[in-house]
């Protein structure tokens, strides 16, 4: 029996400046359409998630891929991860420069014998596997250069309260009832070179298991890692909680710990959950049988 397809994408949960909200919403809708088209044509959730996250990375509006926040040296340094809920294979990369899409490198890692590659080695791996390296300057957006210059390249201790955090991610279930999750980010603004947050870490920034759910998260990485937040949310679905209730409960857990963030969930029955405790979250989602999508932030 064919399963019901479903997909959700996000473009970060934080205080999205009013003039940037439409671009965030539109970027999410476009990425959803890319992934949805693939799912409808019978592609795997893994392919759909990779394509949707890559679209978000190339959009320029988000803090992932092109347009990412700059590290203390004024350079874009990316993290990302992709997980397949049927094979339970994962591919992640961290601290990579000279590539426009961390998720594409993560896919190559997933298809290899490795699970996590970092830094220069990951860049070399990307090149060996046919991905194009780019001039790092081509990844720097005028918006992020301005922010970096205004802060003199220094990260304040309270950066997470400023809440610039437009990490991107996607979750999907395909016709075969297989789920997948992907997350990609440029990390926190003005981060020290080599800093890695939750986004590429299995169980923290992403998780996918056909028996439970696919989850992609966004938020204050240093605080989300100890919560193993993505796996915690997936396990709630595994325990019989419906995905939206699981997303709400996962955010309640954040509230209790005074952490800010958001997450998207898809299970193999084609049910979705989306929740956040920041002022806005950029997202778009659609389930089989509805001709329409839902998207935010409004206004
Ligand atoms: N979680 C990301 C990180 O800590 C930031 C974000 O979600 O915006 O690198």
């Amino acid at each position: 029996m064919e399963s019901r397809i479903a997909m959700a994408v996000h473009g970060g949960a934080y205080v999205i400046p009013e003039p940037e909200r439409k671009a965030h919403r539109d970027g999410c809708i476009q990425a959803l359409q890319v992934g949805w088209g693939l799912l409808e044509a019978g592609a795997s959730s893994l392919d759909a998630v990779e394509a949707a996250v890559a679209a978000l990375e190339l959009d320029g509006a988000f803090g992932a891929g092109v347009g990412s926040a700059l590290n203390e040296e004024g350079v874009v340094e990316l993290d990302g991860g992709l997980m397949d809920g049927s094979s339970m294979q994962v591919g992640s990369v961290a601290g990579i420069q000279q590539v426009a899409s961390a998720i594409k490198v993560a896919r190559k890692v997933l298809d290899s014998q490795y699970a996590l590659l970092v830094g220069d080695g990951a860049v070399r791996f990307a090149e060996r596997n046919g991905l194009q390296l780019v001039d790092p300057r081509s990844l720097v957006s005028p918006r992020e250069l301005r922010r970096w210059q205004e802060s003199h390249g220094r990260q304040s201790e309270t950066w997470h309260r400023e809440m610039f955090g437009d990490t991107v991610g996607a979750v999907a279930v395909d016709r075969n009832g297989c789920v997948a999750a992907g997350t990609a980010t440029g990390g926190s603004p003005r981060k020290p070179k080599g800093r890695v947050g939750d986004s590429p870490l299995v169980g923290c920034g992403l998780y996918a298991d056909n028996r439970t759910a696919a989850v992609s998260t966004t938020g204050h990485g240093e605080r989300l890692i100890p919560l193993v937040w993505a796996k915690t949310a997936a396990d709630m679905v595994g325990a019989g909680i419906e995905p939206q209730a699981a997303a709400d409960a996962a955010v309640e857990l954040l509230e209790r710990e005074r952490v800010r963030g958001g997450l998207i969930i898809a299970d193999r029955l084609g049910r979705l959950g989306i929740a956040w405790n920041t002022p806005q979250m950029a997202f778009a989602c659609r389930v089989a049988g509805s001709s329409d999508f839902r998207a935010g932030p409004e206004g």
Side-chain angles (χ1 to χ4, degrees), residues 63 86 105 121 139 152 158 163 165 171 195 211 218 232 261 266 292:
S86 9
V105 191
L139 304 175
H152 308 288
T158 55
M163 287 194 283
V171 292
R195 176 267 183 192
R211 289 161 298 190
T218 174
T232 301
D292 225 354

Side-chain angles (χ1 to χ4, degrees), residues 10 12-13 79 159 164-167 185-188 195-199 217-222 224:
H10 73 79
D79 309 324
W159 69 266
F164 293 115
D166 34 5
T167 288
T185 189
S188 57
R195 176 267 183 192
V196 179
D198 60 310
S199 305
T217 74
T218 174
H220 185 185
E222 281 73 7
L224 295 181

Side-chain angles (χ1 to χ4, degrees), residues 2-4 45 173-179 210 267-269:
E2 257 186 28
S3 286
R4 292 160 58 85
S45 52
V173 54
D174 60 31
R175 280 187 190 166
N176 297 319
C178 298
V179 300
N210 282 355
D267 76 356
R268 66 176 308 156
L269 300 177

Side-chain angles (χ1 to χ4, degrees), residues 132-151:
Q132 203 197 338
L133 300 191
V134 299
D135 182 338
R137 283 171 303 188
S138 68
L139 304 175
V140 176
S141 70
R143 176 190 72 179
E144 291 306 327
L145 186 60
R146 199 178 53 247
R147 282 182 181 158
W148 186 84
Q149 284 165 339
E150 279 165 9
S151 68

